[in-house]
Amino acid sequence: MSKRPSPISATVDFDADGVQHGFLKLPISTDDSAWGAVMIPVTVVKNGDGPTALLTGGNHGDEYEGITALMKLTSSLRAEEVHGRVIIVPMMNTPAAMAGTRTSPMDGGNLNRSFPGDPDGNVTQKIADYFTRVLVPMCDVVLDLHSGGRTLDIIPFGASHVLENPEQQRQALEGAKSFGAPYAMMMFELDAAALFDTVVESQGKVFVATELGGGGTSTPESLAITERGVHNFLIHFGLIDGEVEMPTEPQVYLDMPDASCYVQSEHSGLLELTLALGDVVEKGEVIARVYDMTRSGTPPVEYRAGRSGVLAARRFPAQVHMGDTIAVIAEVVDSLG
């Protein structure tokens, strides 16, 4: 069954040359605004013919590295620098970003678990549908900037996925490497069916994802890596001129072959991690302890690494609940792809 057109409208002309700043407007009716709209900021920078890059941040509202880097880019990128078109959406899930939360306060929706979306669904599903049926078909390459948000801290990496199309996978992997973060990863997602990643890749587009820190903040270091990576991405895919700038130390390649890379807690309590991000992990090594906070004198539960590698991600808050991911261990490999 065909779906009705998206209820979202754009105040910019995606086909016009020059720099435009506007909004993706989604009509809503709430107690506070009977005839209101969700206003998602968008910038389009176009200069003649060429490829189209879609740059997105704020897929989760508490991941600030991407939001900040793209907000800065919207006020600095000039049309004469661009060969083709760059579409920038710094806060895909604007309601979540405004609330400083991972999910939308309007409907509890996790945008990156809501694709391909629904024009007749809730606010989050309508946003996902617009990206799926309007923005993604316009583009050739997509860079979606993520970090750990309030509950995770993650080493900085560009990532791609294993794909059925070898050429599409090659281009995405080269884009992930050229992002120029200290690490590049072949990433395994726990449940990829409803991700933005999957929608983009299923349309045959080149998709690069990132993880760039976390803790619900950004640092000068994480922001510098993000801004350099965005420029590297545009250079690599021919949208702007320049030379890709790689990190001073050799880039480390990581692989996540399966779900066993994720260590999830089977207990609730106080979390003690025994390793720092980027530390080498040996199989069988104690990587975390969880203490029962309801009584003293109780020995902690120990969690051991099921594989060797490096600590690629860790839970950020000290309190942990059953089912929370407390650590992610990725394997160091000589090459990717």
Side-chain angles (χ1 to χ4, degrees):
M1 182 182 297
S2 62
K3 296 179 179 179
R4 73 178 177 108
S6 172
I8 295 177
S9 60
T11 66
V12 295
D13 180 352
F14 290 105
D15 295 321
D17 280 353
V19 177
Q20 301 172 75
H21 307 291
F23 300 95
L24 309 175
K25 292 177 25 176
L26 170 58
I28 56 167
S29 181
T30 67
D31 290 337
D32 296 325
S33 184
W35 290 352
V38 174
M39 306 287 281
I40 302 172
V42 61
T43 292
V44 183
V45 184
K46 186 175 183 298
N47 183 23
D49 296 329
T52 293
L54 174 61
L55 310 179
T56 56
N59 196 327
H60 295 127
D62 61 351
E63 299 176 3
Y64 295 108
E65 291 82 357
I67 295 173
T68 306
L70 293 185
M71 290 294 280
K72 293 174 71 173
L73 184 65
T74 61
S75 61
S76 63
L77 188 62
R78 304 190 307 272
E80 57 267 27
E81 296 177 291
V82 172
H83 309 295
R85 177 173 57 181
V86 180
I87 301 171
I88 309 169
V89 185
M91 296 173 289
M92 294 175 72
N93 195 343
T94 295
M98 293 299 186
T101 55
R102 180 176 179 85
T103 60
S104 174
M106 303 193 74
D107 52 29
N110 181 336
L111 181 57
N112 210 31
R113 302 297 186 273
S114 299
F115 286 88
D118 184 349
D120 296 312
N122 58 32
V123 167
T124 303
Q125 291 168 329
K126 288 175 180 176
I127 294 171
D129 172 73
Y130 184 83
F131 277 84
T132 298
R133 294 196 293 148
V134 179
L135 288 186
V136 173
M138 290 183 189
C139 71
D140 300 290
V141 296
V142 177
L143 175 64
D144 190 31
L145 298 166
H146 285 264
S147 52
R150 292 184 299 171
T151 64
L152 292 170
D153 198 7
I154 307 176
I155 59 175
F157 61 78
S160 61
H161 306 106
V162 175
L163 303 173
E164 292 183 1
N165 184 322
E167 178 58 21
Q168 184 186 13
Q169 178 178 312
R170 184 195 66 79
Q171 291 188 46
L173 185 56
E174 290 304 311
K177 293 177 183 176
S178 296
F179 184 83
Y183 300 85
M185 180 183 287
M186 187 68 79
M187 192 171 184
F188 179 86
E189 306 283 0
L190 284 175
D191 185 5
L195 297 180
F196 183 43
D197 318 34
T198 303
V199 156
V200 175
E201 291 163 349
S202 68
Q203 294 188 31
K205 315 294 184 174
V206 174
F207 182 87
V208 175
T210 71
E211 296 291 352
L212 298 162
T217 188
S218 63
T219 66
E221 180 184 13
S222 68
L223 198 54
I225 291 170
T226 307
E227 291 186 74
R228 182 183 69 196
V230 171
H231 281 88
N232 282 348
F233 181 87
L234 294 175
I235 292 167
H236 176 78
F237 287 107
L239 275 299
I240 62 175
D241 295 328
E243 296 290 331
V244 169
E245 183 183 351
M246 298 300 287
T248 54
E249 298 294 324
Q251 193 173 57
V252 178
Y253 296 152
L254 301 175
D255 184 32
M256 292 177 63
D258 54 47
S260 69
C261 295
Y262 293 85
V263 181
Q264 292 175 315
S265 182
E266 297 179 4
H267 303 83
S268 297
L270 180 66
L271 175 66
E272 176 196 6
L273 284 158
T274 63
L275 299 168
L277 283 178
D279 280 354
V280 173
V281 182
E282 298 297 335
K283 183 176 180 179
E285 180 180 359
V286 174
I287 59 172
R289 301 182 183 95
V290 177
Y291 295 84
D292 184 350
M293 297 178 69
T294 66
R295 55 183 49 81
S296 60
T298 303
V301 178
E302 293 185 338
Y303 285 81
R304 296 180 180 272
R307 65 188 326 123
S308 298
V310 299
L311 186 66
R314 53 153 288 178
R315 179 166 172 80
F316 192 77
Q319 280 192 286
V320 65
H321 303 283
M322 289 183 67
D324 290 339
T325 291
I326 56 178
V328 177
I329 300 171
E331 294 182 357
V332 179
V333 292
D334 294 331
S335 62
L336 294 172

